[in-house]
Amino acid sequence: MITAIVGTQWGDEGKGRICHYEAQNASMVIRCAGGNNAGHTVVYEGEKYALHLLPSSIINPYVLSVIGTGTVIDPKALIEEIESLRKKGVAITSDNLVISNRAHVIMDIHIILDKVMETIRENEKIGTTGKGIGPAYSDKASRINIRMCDLVGDYESLKKKISLIVKTHKAFLESVGCMTYHNKNVVKKLADEYYEYGKKLAEFVKDTKPIIYKCKKEGGNIIMEGAQSTFLDIDQGSYPDVTSSSCIASGCCSGAGIGITQVNEVIGVMKAYTSRVGEGPFPTEQKNEIGNRIRFLGNEYGTTTGRPRRCGWLDLVMISDAVELNGCTALALNHLDTIGKFDEIKVCCGYNYHGEFIQYVPVDHENCKPCYETLKGGWNTEGATTLEEIGEDAVKFVKLIEEYTETPVVYIGIGPDASQIIIR
Ligand code: GDP
Ligand code: IMO
Ligand code: MG
């Protein structure tokens, strides 16, 4: 059984907690794309884990966690993440963690370029996480980047490859006054530094293909953990206010190395409202007391950057668009507790778009005016084990989602803790 878990909004829908739950019955969880721009929160047995590049299964020692081929890895940040989890008592060994030798590397030069590019954009900033994601994927597409296999391979060959990256970006960086790469010895220094990271990570770096093939042959359950989200997808998202990877289910397949016909389930994760970090269109955004209240009640602050998240009402047009783009077979709905604290809840069920009523996300999303349905809220989810226990109004809210998207809601989050979930 192969399941993809993907975001249906602009990220932070609670993919991490759903993935951690699903991982209980999995042999392998693969992070497919993105890098440490992601922040996946798991609250388990009283401990809160903020995972960035490590799959959300890492706290479960019985699951093989794989950092897949489609990811971009900042080795320095990954070593820190591993060490900080070990300090919390999480066992991370070559028995439960594998890093694809084909995954690409984020170097400091990419982080600098990320920040420089944002500065150059002046009033057109994307609001990136500043982790070097875009420049690393650009170098990957330009076919000059280094991969994890280079960090654990021949030193001289690594040096040669780093030299090409430095040569490519040096003149541009100097033109904007950044002289970091001016030094003659910089290539050797970088090669030494990154070779050392390679040594530290070497035990985990493997060819993921035979490992995944074997797991499939033995009938193991495999979870593909998506990062970022449908509307941050480089192709299908609100370009240019997107990330630089393919975040939808088909991107999970290419990132993990799994054939699309082998996927049995695609779970789209959503919140009972919408949030966004960074710039870009957001038709149901509430830049008012409602938005502030959602942020406060849902604790909507970025897991990676700590930035306050922009908040607004649930946009079902986006969810149904995401269901189509990902081929979702089921939905996981988080924060039913948070939205239930509002006596009156609005849900966007269509857009007024240049005078026309539409129910898909167009290329100029910023020109969409939401058309709302109003529902009764005011429910209490405390201790509930079924949706029906929460009451008729909560049932109506979930039914509207299911009917609009023609997709069943199989998980309902009623709190951040792993135990605060209703399974249907
Ligand atoms: P991800 O990036 O999709 O994994 O999501 P994040 O972890 O960045 O953001 C989701 C936030 O919502 C985290 O702080 C979670 O602990 C929290 N969360 C997830 N599900 C629920 C829920 O059902 N109720 C509440 N109150 N919090 C939730
Ligand atoms: P998870 O996996 C929310 C956003 C950034 C910015 C844009 C581009 O936790 O849902 P990047 O650094 O990727 O070049 O930034 O994408 N972004 C996220 N927003 N959740 C995430 O990940 C995100 N990863 C990137 O805020 O707007
Ligand atoms: Mg997140």
Side-chain angles (χ1 to χ4, degrees):
M1 174 91 172
I2 301 184
T3 306
I5 296 176
V6 293
T8 56
Q9 294 163 315
W10 280 297
D12 306 324
E13 299 90 348
K15 298 174 289 296
R17 66 101 51 115
I18 299 297
C19 190
H20 170 251
Y21 188 88
E22 280 272 319
Q24 291 178 105
N25 300 314
S27 327
M28 182 186 282
V29 173
I30 312 171
R31 245 305 288 276
C32 308
N36 58 330
N37 48 347
H40 296 176
T41 317
V42 176
V43 186
Y44 182 59
E45 292 185 342
E47 190 77 59
K48 186 170 170 174
Y49 303 89
L51 303 155
H52 298 288
L53 191 57
L54 290 164
S56 300
S57 52
I58 196 70
I59 60 178
N60 182 340
Y62 304 108
V63 180
L64 182 63
S65 296
V66 178
I67 301 180
T69 295
T71 60
V72 280
I73 301 175
D74 178 339
K76 202 185 334 181
L78 178 58
I79 291 165
E80 280 169 16
E81 190 176 344
I82 292 172
E83 277 167 7
S84 85
L85 281 172
R86 279 181 175 154
K87 277 193 196 132
K88 281 189 158 184
V90 178
I92 303 178
T93 69
S94 55
D95 287 336
N96 71 332
L97 177 66
V98 169
I99 301 170
S100 169
N101 57 3
R102 290 179 178 81
H104 278 253
V105 175
I106 300 178
M107 297 179 67
D108 282 347
I109 196 165
H110 298 126
I111 297 173
I112 294 171
L113 282 164
D114 194 354
K115 292 176 181 160
V116 168
M117 290 300 294
E118 281 285 87
T119 312
I120 287 176
R121 295 180 76 104
E122 293 180 353
N123 297 328
E124 306 289 319
K125 289 191 200 323
I126 291 166
T128 71
T129 58
K131 303 290 183 190
I133 305 297
Y137 275 115
S138 297
D139 279 359
K140 170 182 174 176
S142 301
R143 289 144 302 168
I144 60 165
N145 205 31
I146 53 168
R147 299 186 292 173
M148 290 307 291
C149 56
D150 299 312
L151 295 195
V152 298
D154 174 57
Y155 173 81
E156 285 306 320
S157 144
L158 173 68
K159 211 167 124 190
K160 224 159 119 187
K161 288 178 181 170
I162 290 179
S163 158
L164 182 59
I165 299 177
V166 171
K167 243 194 268 175
T168 305
H169 298 298
K170 200 170 151 225
F172 168 70
L173 285 172
E174 286 181 4
S175 78
V176 292
C178 174
M179 304 307 281
T180 318
Y181 294 92
H182 193 64
N183 189 314
K184 235 177 41 225
N185 291 324
V186 74
V187 172
K188 183 181 177 309
K189 265 178 73 182
L190 286 173
D192 288 350
E193 181 186 347
Y194 281 81
Y195 204 64
E196 274 308 307
Y197 298 143
K199 277 192 203 157
K200 287 198 176 146
L201 293 171
E203 62 173 312
F204 306 114
V205 179
K206 293 174 190 160
D207 196 323
T208 50
K209 288 206 279 188
I211 299 169
I212 295 173
Y213 296 166
K214 182 165 175 278
C215 185
K216 285 195 290 193
K217 207 167 212 165
E218 289 170 353
N221 281 339
I222 301 179
I223 312 282
M224 296 193 284
E225 178 176 9
Q228 289 72 54
S229 204
T230 303
F231 294 96
L232 289 173
D233 181 276
I234 183 77
D235 294 301
Q236 304 296 343
S238 37
Y239 190 91
D241 298 301
V242 293
T243 190
S244 301
S245 59
S246 173
C247 319
I248 56 174
S250 48
C252 289
C253 287
S254 55
I258 284 186
I260 48 169
T261 54
Q262 297 168 337
V263 179
N264 307 92
E265 288 266 12
V266 178
I267 303 177
V269 187
M270 61 180 285
K271 283 194 280 216
Y273 50 86
T274 314
S275 75
R276 175 162 207 173
V277 206
E279 302 305 316
F282 184 170
T284 62
E285 182 171 17
Q286 299 296 303
K287 289 186 187 165
N288 52 31
E289 273 317 300
I290 295 169
N292 293 343
R293 187 150 179 246
I294 297 176
R295 186 177 311 106
F296 172 74
L297 294 170
N299 192 21
E300 290 295 348
Y301 293 88
T303 314
T304 299
T305 58
R307 288 179 288 179
R309 294 176 181 150
R310 297 159 62 192
C311 294
W313 295 119
L314 175 61
D315 185 338
L316 278 184
V317 181
M318 289 177 66
I319 307 293
S320 73
D321 215 79
V323 164
E324 292 287 349
L325 292 167
N326 291 284
C328 294
T329 54
L331 289 168
L333 168 69
N334 284 316
H335 283 273
L336 191 73
D337 53 323
T338 307
I339 206 68
K341 299 204 168 80
F342 284 82
D343 290 333
E344 195 179 88
I345 301 168
K346 293 212 160 141
V347 177
C348 169
C349 293
Y351 297 139
N352 180 339
Y353 174 63
H354 302 298
E356 199 190 324
F357 182 75
I358 61 163
Q359 289 182 304
Y360 69 95
V361 177
V363 69
D364 51 341
H365 203 186
E366 62 280 9
N367 289 324
C368 293
K369 304 255 173 314
C371 305
Y372 289 112
E373 272 192 31
T374 305
L375 280 81
K376 206 162 161 285
W379 52 71
N380 180 2
T381 56
E382 205 138 337
T385 53
T386 66
L387 174 63
E388 289 65 28
E389 274 172 52
I390 302 171
E392 206 183 314
D393 295 323
V395 172
K396 272 192 197 153
F397 180 80
V398 175
K399 270 227 169 94
L400 173 64
I401 296 170
E402 293 190 313
E403 279 166 14
Y404 193 98
T405 61
E406 298 176 1
T407 310
V409 172
V410 298
Y411 288 116
I412 300 176
I414 53 168
D417 194 87
S419 62
Q420 292 172 303
I421 194 161
I422 294 172
I423 321 290
R424 299 167 87 220

